[in-house]
Amino acid sequence: MPLDIGDRIDDDLSDARWRAKDSLTSRPVGVRVSHEALQDMGESACLQKAVEKYDGSTDSVRVTTGDF
């Protein structure tokens, strides 16, 4: 499913977070990336992995180092 990732929002203790939306339905989607994955793999790779993981069945997607 196509996912359009927008602005980064405030991080929480375990994850960096971005606003996103499903480009087919315009439904809001939360993107969460563990701080460890962000540090180890970089922002671009983590956001690309979020796009790959998103299947439209939920309103969020989370990326961790285990996804690589």
Side-chain angles (χ1 to χ4, degrees), residues 3 5 31 33 42-54 63 68:
L3 183 65
I5 299 176
V31 173
V33 176
E43 182 176 320
S44 181
C46 289
L47 295 180
Q48 180 59 41
K49 186 59 71 174
V51 170
E52 293 169 9
K53 284 186 69 174
Y54 179 67
V63 175
F68 291 92

Side-chain angles (χ1 to χ4, degrees), residues 2-33:
L3 183 65
D4 293 328
I5 299 176
D7 297 329
R8 186 171 177 174
I9 57 177
D10 292 338
D11 295 357
D12 63 19
L13 291 176
S14 59
D15 297 319
R17 304 181 309 152
W18 282 262
R19 286 190 178 98
K21 71 176 183 175
D22 184 308
S23 62
L24 296 178
T25 66
S26 295
R27 186 177 75 194
V29 177
V31 173
R32 302 172 71 85
V33 176

